[in-house]
Amino acid sequence: MVDDNSESIEAHEVVLDVNNGASKNCEESVIKDSVPLLKKLVAEVVGTYLMIFAGCAAVVVNLNNDHVVTLPGIAFAWGFTVMVLIYSLGHISGAHFNPAVTIAHASTKIFPFKQVPAYIIAQVLGSTLASGTLKLIFNGKEDHFIGTLPAGTNLQAFIIEFICTFFLMFVISGVATDNRAVGELAGLAVGSTIIIDILFAGPLTGASMNPARSLGPAILYHEYTGLWIYLISPILGALTGTWTYNFIRHANKPMCDEHTKIELTKIVPFLRRSRS
């Protein structure tokens, strides 16, 4: 029995330690790659096909209709196509669509080396199929070479392609491989970079930034002028871009590993009055 005027006080110690909880959440957030290689390759073929088809179709339509699409229109066609494909296929294959990107990722161990040859074959296949489709649709007077050719000297084209791909891969490394960036905006950032590159490099080199983009049309149209530039320069630019970002990266470990330990050991009195 307790008197009416008596009070019982219970003290509870509340300890908040988010360090352990964060570690657990970090471990749970690591998702193993469970997508079969075949499905990844199909995604790369389809993604590369759609990218080349939409981008090159804009080029052909522009040539056949008094430049109605314009250079900015072509740039936006490429950029928006890549953006939507990243959001739709990025979680399946990584949305490379570009041998230079695949090789660059493999060089930093973000992507397994053993899958590189298969990815490159899938990307070149997608580009070749898209080029063949466009060649069937636009024939006769409407048939134009949809590949990439240097407008100036080979040296100028080589440097421009190197810089364009460096810029592209630098952005990809920042928004897609560093989980401290806003990953949801990766597609927008990469697509915008492609638009910028095409706006200044399109009239000079075609702004390929992608060996598969240049190789597919070259195979279909048997036009190999300056092709070596578009095979070598983008790969070198991508490698330099990703390694430059890795050099300036603040930390290689995920953000969730950089915990701030917070401990609250304040005694909180909890008054409970009970009456009989």
Side-chain angles (χ1 to χ4, degrees):
M1 297 294 293
V2 181
D3 295 337
D4 291 342
N5 295 328
S6 64
E7 296 179 352
S8 63
I9 300 177
E10 297 180 0
H12 300 268
E13 183 177 3
V14 179
V15 179
L16 176 62
D17 185 356
V18 299
N19 191 39
N20 293 332
S23 299
K24 182 179 180 181
N25 291 335
C26 182
E27 293 174 358
E28 293 176 350
S29 65
V30 177
I31 302 176
K32 293 183 178 180
D33 183 10
S34 59
V35 180
L37 178 59
L38 178 59
K39 292 186 177 182
K40 291 182 180 181
L41 297 179
V42 172
E44 284 295 302
V45 171
V46 173
T48 308
Y49 176 93
L50 294 175
M51 178 185 70
I52 299 300
F53 181 85
C56 291
V59 174
V60 176
V61 171
N62 186 60
L63 292 173
N64 290 330
N65 295 274
D66 298 325
H67 301 281
V68 65
V69 181
T70 72
L71 176 62
I74 295 173
F76 277 94
W78 280 101
F80 284 151
T81 301
V82 172
M83 180 183 69
V84 297
L85 288 173
I86 288 175
Y87 287 129
S88 58
L89 295 174
H91 55 285
I92 297 175
S93 68
H96 294 187
F97 315 138
N98 186 337
V101 173
T102 301
I103 294 171
H105 280 327
S107 72
T108 55
K109 299 182 180 181
I110 294 175
F111 185 79
F113 268 107
K114 63 181 180 180
Q115 295 183 11
V116 170
Y119 258 59
I120 293 177
I121 292 173
Q123 292 154 0
V124 174
L125 176 61
S127 176
T128 305
L129 291 174
S131 302
T133 304
L134 290 171
K135 191 173 179 62
L136 289 174
I137 295 174
F138 300 99
N139 49 52
K141 294 181 179 180
E142 293 185 339
D143 186 18
H144 296 279
F145 178 57
I146 58 175
T148 50
L149 294 171
T153 65
N154 287 344
L155 178 60
Q156 180 190 51
F158 191 94
I159 294 174
I160 290 175
E161 283 296 314
F162 179 91
I163 294 174
C164 287
T165 317
F166 174 94
F167 184 22
L168 175 63
M169 196 64 212
F170 187 85
V171 173
I172 291 174
S173 298
V175 300
T177 69
D178 193 335
N179 67 354
R180 291 168 301 170
V182 183
E184 291 78 5
L185 298 180
L188 180 60
V190 175
S192 299
T193 304
I194 291 175
I195 292 173
I196 296 171
D197 279 343
I198 293 177
L199 286 175
F200 74 83
L204 301 176
T205 67
S208 174
M209 301 171 280
N210 185 339
R213 182 264 181 270
S214 297
L215 185 57
I219 294 173
L220 262 295
Y221 289 83
H222 305 290
E223 177 60 73
Y224 303 102
T225 304
L227 181 62
W228 66 272
I229 298 172
Y230 300 100
L231 298 181
I232 298 175
S233 184
I235 294 176
L236 295 179
L239 288 171
T240 308
T242 193
W243 279 99
T244 300
Y245 184 84
N246 280 350
F247 176 76
I248 66 173
R249 187 194 298 264
H250 178 64
N252 288 328
K253 58 185 178 179
M255 190 65 175
C256 57
D257 285 343
E258 300 173 356
H259 303 308
T260 301
K261 188 175 182 180
I262 303 175
E263 292 186 353
L264 179 63
T265 56
K266 181 179 180 181
I267 302 300
V268 182
F270 177 75
L271 301 180
R272 183 171 58 188
R273 296 181 179 179
S274 58
R275 298 177 180 275
S276 57

